[in-house]
Amino acid sequence: MKLIVNNIYIFSLKEKKAFHAKLEDGINFITSCKENGNKRGKSIIMKSIYSTLGADCIYESSWDFQNKTTILDVNIDEKKLYFIRANNYFKIVDSQFKEIISTNHRTELSEKLKEIFDFHIELPNRNNELEITPPAYMYLLNYVDQVGLNCTSFSSFKNLGQYTNYRKYALLSHFGIFNQDYYELDRKQKEISDLIANNQTEVKTMEKLLEKLNIELSGNDYPLNLDSLNKEVELTKSEYEAIVKNLNNTKNQIIKFENSKLELESLLEELKKDIKDNDNNFKKYDDERCPYCHSHVTPFEFSYKYYDKNDDYLFISQSMMAQMTELKRNIQIQEEKYKNYINDMDNYNKKIQSLNSNINDVLKHKGYIEMRNKLNNELYDFKQKNIDLEKELKEIQKKIKEYNKLKKEIDDEYYKLMSESREKLQLQEIDLNNLKKIDSTFEITGSTRPISTIAWYLTLLKIKNKFNSNSIKFPIVFDSPNNAELDNENIARIFKYILNNVNSDSQIIISTIEFQRELYPEFDIKNIITLNNEPYKLLNEDDYIKNIELYKKIMDM
């Protein structure tokens, strides 16, 4: 597939001026006289080609790009299309002016161009997901702006930095290597390698844990059955209840006896008081009246009454003393029992603590064993997973190896071609070590910088034609490649080098000052466009009048 630009139109609808140039399949030169040659508009024409196809070129601020409209009349093989661009608006129509697409969105344009060109570039975005790029990335190898002659840097289009490290992947895409399959393989290789590394870290961690658990378990043996220990704990509950019951009963008995003792002590105190009162009353007897009832009594009657009452007091006192002794004895017995029951409770608590300790030890031991078993299972799973991942990785690496083999062939071809150009063009400033890989870079300054850049672009195009020959061939557009103070002999040398090394199957459009056809008799130069307009006056009214109808047809006006 091949794209040929048949005609280019540049309109300023505001000024009612335009420019039209007819191009041919093959070699085209756009030139102007030497005097004020850089002000005639050659670069505007060159930029407008890929700008109309969807790229963002670098215009001078004096060029009012926003108010310009450009049209390309192209053939893609036998199919005729018209491309139009007005600022950020794009439209494509067929030969009958039937609309194919009309859009302000570059992504929509890229999707449509993918269908038309059967070619596109996909690059990983900042989320590491492949996406179709704006059109400029398709044209990287085919356009060199005179301000973009920067050795191995793609400097002719704006906004290329939206993709990080795009250069390597974009080149591999042009050479037919970097595609969805390769990207998925490369992504899976990294993903699986990371998984294997993470799993290995997990394996090491688990092996250390297992080592510690085995050391812990090796010094302890707990054959006790946890169920029997739990049953023993249940059985001790009745023992505990009996001890608590005995403690409560004994405490109640002590309280009961203590209360009886207090009552008895109170009665004894009263009895002692009565005996004392009786003695005092006896002393007060005056042989006539009774000290108790104040009646008249004989000495005999009084003595009888006194001694009789005293005998009662003594008898009662003796009985109460006997009761007191018994109470004290019972209290002492109950207190001894209470102490014994307290000891029983202490022993019970020790027994429970021992049982609980055994249960905790068994649980701990059991927990260690369960943890060890779980870790062993997980360790097995991780190791098995790594075995499966390593098998999958080997299959991926086998497929990537085929791509890498092709990449090695490309690197070798690149080194061979660039080394030959280095010798032929006497570009010894280029270090051979910087030519070993397709994505390597070199930087030189001075008058050889433009030709070294052109040599690099031509090398890339040769590699693309060799390794991806079925992809669409876009026009090769070089804007003033002799951008240096050179004499006619050296200018001719550069152009002969370009024409000898450019792919003859592609349309070639080159701009320069004062092109002399007679210096290139061996080349079939199809078309020379000489700009004779005044400086900064590329557009004119005649071209506007002649071509405005085409604009109206395309815009369906």
Side-chain angles (χ1 to χ4, degrees):
M1 188 181 290
K2 178 179 177 180
L3 189 151
I4 300 298
V5 178
N6 302 312
N7 292 278
I8 180 169
Y9 305 86
I10 305 173
F11 288 89
S12 173
L13 300 177
K14 185 178 179 181
E15 299 174 295
K16 294 187 178 181
K17 292 181 179 181
F19 170 82
H20 166 240
K22 182 174 175 58
L23 298 166
E24 301 290 342
D25 185 10
I27 302 171
N28 296 264
F29 273 90
I30 300 175
T31 187
S32 62
C33 62
K34 195 166 187 179
E35 184 181 352
N36 292 322
N38 289 326
K39 302 174 184 179
R40 307 289 174 171
K42 296 186 302 299
S43 292
I44 295 296
I45 299 167
M46 305 297 268
K47 294 175 195 291
S48 296
I49 294 171
Y50 281 111
S51 173
T52 310
L53 291 172
D56 285 327
C57 297
I58 305 166
Y59 289 93
E60 291 184 6
S61 58
S62 59
W63 178 251
D64 186 11
F65 173 76
Q66 292 183 347
N67 289 311
K68 300 297 190 295
T69 300
T70 54
I71 297 173
L72 290 186
D73 162 10
V74 308
N75 267 72
I76 299 176
D77 290 341
E78 302 302 319
K79 185 178 181 181
K80 189 179 189 66
L81 297 173
Y82 291 96
F83 287 72
I84 188 168
R85 177 174 185 175
N87 197 7
N88 288 319
Y89 171 78
F90 297 89
K91 186 175 183 180
I92 304 173
V93 299
D94 63 17
S95 60
Q96 301 303 311
F97 302 102
K98 182 180 178 181
E99 181 180 304
I100 296 172
I101 186 175
S102 175
T103 182
N104 289 310
H105 300 285
R106 214 66 63 98
T107 303
E108 291 179 3
L109 179 63
S110 292
E111 292 289 351
K112 182 54 66 176
L113 292 178
K114 175 182 175 181
E115 296 176 20
I116 295 170
F117 297 155
D118 192 25
F119 179 74
H120 69 286
I121 302 292
E122 287 186 341
L123 293 176
N125 60 24
R126 297 186 189 278
N127 294 323
N128 212 27
E129 298 172 347
L130 274 189
E131 67 180 23
I132 192 167
T133 65
Y137 294 87
M138 291 190 287
Y139 315 136
L140 285 176
L141 312 188
N142 293 76
Y143 174 62
V144 185
D145 191 296
Q146 64 176 332
V147 297
L149 295 164
N150 294 322
C151 297
T152 53
S153 173
F154 291 115
S155 305
S156 297
F157 296 125
K158 295 193 293 185
N159 304 321
L160 295 177
Q162 68 184 93
Y163 296 98
T164 306
N165 300 323
Y166 74 91
R167 190 170 170 279
K168 175 184 176 182
Y169 289 130
L171 285 173
L172 293 177
S173 295
H174 277 280
F175 303 149
I177 294 179
F178 186 80
N179 50 33
Q180 183 70 37
D181 290 340
Y182 176 83
Y183 180 76
E184 284 301 315
L185 288 171
D186 189 51
R187 186 186 62 78
K188 281 185 179 179
Q189 178 180 235
K190 291 174 184 174
E191 186 179 285
I192 292 172
S193 297
D194 289 342
L195 278 173
I196 290 172
N198 290 336
N199 286 350
Q200 286 173 341
T201 301
E202 290 288 339
V203 165
K204 288 179 182 178
T205 302
M206 285 189 281
E207 285 176 341
K208 287 180 181 178
L209 284 172
L210 280 169
E211 185 180 348
K212 289 180 180 179
L213 282 172
N214 287 329
I215 291 170
E216 183 69 30
L217 290 169
S218 63
N220 298 294
D221 187 18
Y222 296 97
L224 293 173
N225 185 284
L226 188 59
D227 290 338
S228 64
L229 282 172
N230 286 328
K231 287 177 182 178
E232 189 173 349
V233 170
E234 286 297 317
L235 289 172
T236 60
K237 286 182 180 179
S238 59
E239 181 183 346
Y240 172 78
E241 291 169 356
I243 293 171
V244 170
K245 184 178 179 181
N246 288 333
L247 281 170
N248 287 332
N249 289 340
T250 304
K251 182 179 72 174
N252 291 335
Q253 283 294 102
I254 291 171
I255 291 170
K256 179 182 175 184
F257 287 141
E258 285 288 351
N259 288 337
S260 298
K261 179 172 168 281
L262 288 172
E263 289 178 7
L264 197 57
E265 285 175 346
S266 178
L267 289 173
L268 279 170
E269 285 298 319
E270 289 182 8
L271 188 60
K272 286 178 182 180
K273 184 177 179 295
D274 288 342
I275 292 173
K276 187 176 179 180
D277 289 343
N278 195 44
D279 288 341
N280 288 335
N281 287 330
F282 182 76
K283 291 176 183 179
K284 292 177 181 179
Y285 177 65
D286 59 359
D287 294 333
E288 291 183 5
R289 293 187 178 277
C290 175
Y292 302 105
C293 61
H294 303 292
S295 63
H296 181 77
V297 291
T298 64
F300 174 76
E301 287 175 330
F302 179 75
S303 297
Y304 178 79
K305 181 183 275 191
Y306 166 76
Y307 285 113
D308 186 49
K309 185 176 281 191
N310 254 14
D311 287 341
D312 289 341
Y313 285 161
L314 290 173
F315 176 77
I316 293 169
S317 175
Q318 183 177 327
S319 174
M320 290 175 72
M321 292 299 290
Q323 289 181 38
M324 180 65 74
T325 300
E326 184 64 22
L327 283 171
K328 287 181 178 179
R329 179 175 173 277
N330 286 336
I331 288 170
Q332 186 177 3
I333 289 170
Q334 295 302 320
E335 284 178 344
E336 286 297 322
K337 281 185 179 180
Y338 195 82
K339 287 180 182 178
N340 290 334
Y341 290 141
I342 290 293
N343 287 333
D344 289 345
M345 182 61 80
D346 289 341
N347 291 332
Y348 172 82
N349 286 333
K350 289 177 182 176
K351 182 179 180 181
I352 285 295
Q353 287 175 358
S354 176
L355 282 171
N356 287 337
S357 176
N358 287 338
I359 290 172
N360 288 337
D361 288 341
V362 171
L363 287 172
K364 185 178 177 182
H365 188 75
K366 187 179 178 183
Y368 281 155
I369 291 173
E370 288 176 354
M371 188 182 292
R372 183 177 64 181
N373 292 340
K374 185 180 179 183
L375 281 173
N376 277 325
N377 289 334
E378 287 181 359
L379 185 61
Y380 173 82
D381 290 342
F382 271 108
K383 287 185 175 181
Q384 191 61 44
K385 194 181 289 182
N386 264 10
I387 290 171
D388 295 339
L389 286 171
E390 284 168 358
K391 286 180 182 177
E392 188 178 354
L393 184 62
K394 282 182 181 178
E395 289 301 312
I396 289 170
Q397 288 173 336
K398 192 184 294 183
K399 293 175 182 177
I400 287 179
K401 191 175 180 180
E402 294 301 314
Y403 283 102
N404 289 338
K405 182 181 177 183
L406 193 56
K407 282 168 67 178
K408 179 68 168 57
E409 290 179 26
I410 289 172
D411 286 338
D412 291 344
E413 183 71 8
Y414 174 73
Y415 183 81
K416 172 179 168 290
L417 293 174
M418 280 302 297
S419 297
E420 289 173 356
S421 295
R422 177 178 178 271
E423 292 303 314
K424 189 169 186 177
L425 298 171
Q426 298 179 355
L427 300 174
Q428 275 69 33
E429 292 176 70
I430 300 175
D431 189 339
L432 287 172
N433 290 321
N434 293 331
L435 303 177
K436 291 184 177 180
K437 289 186 178 295
I438 193 71
D439 57 329
S440 59
T441 62
F442 62 82
E443 178 71 24
I444 61 175
T445 58
S447 60
T448 57
R449 184 182 180 91
I451 190 57
S452 65
T453 304
I454 294 299
W456 183 66
Y457 272 87
L458 290 173
T459 297
L460 298 181
L461 286 168
K462 284 181 180 180
I463 292 171
K464 182 176 182 179
N465 290 333
K466 179 175 180 178
F467 291 92
N468 195 16
S469 58
N470 292 327
S471 66
I472 185 171
K473 292 174 174 58
F474 295 112
I476 299 168
V477 180
F478 288 163
D479 182 16
S480 302
N482 58 324
N483 188 14
E485 294 295 330
L486 301 174
D487 55 29
N488 287 338
E489 184 179 343
N490 279 317
I491 290 172
R493 176 170 159 263
I494 290 174
F495 283 134
K496 286 180 180 180
Y497 171 79
I498 293 172
L499 298 174
N500 276 319
N501 287 277
V502 79
N503 181 11
S504 59
D505 289 340
S506 298
Q507 184 183 31
I508 302 159
I509 306 169
I510 301 172
S511 71
T512 184
I513 293 174
E514 204 172 38
F515 180 71
Q516 300 177 49
R517 182 195 288 267
E518 62 272 15
L519 296 177
Y520 312 95
E522 67 270 40
F523 299 105
D524 183 17
I525 298 171
K526 297 289 187 182
N527 185 29
I528 299 174
I529 299 169
T530 303
L531 301 179
N532 295 314
N533 55 278
E534 294 180 20
Y536 304 110
K537 292 185 178 181
L538 176 66
L539 310 187
N540 61 82
E541 293 175 355
D542 287 345
D543 281 347
Y544 180 85
I545 293 168
K546 291 175 183 176
N547 299 295
I548 191 62
E549 289 304 315
L550 175 66
Y551 168 81
K552 289 178 180 180
K553 286 181 181 179
I554 293 171
M555 296 303 290
D556 192 22
M557 296 172 69

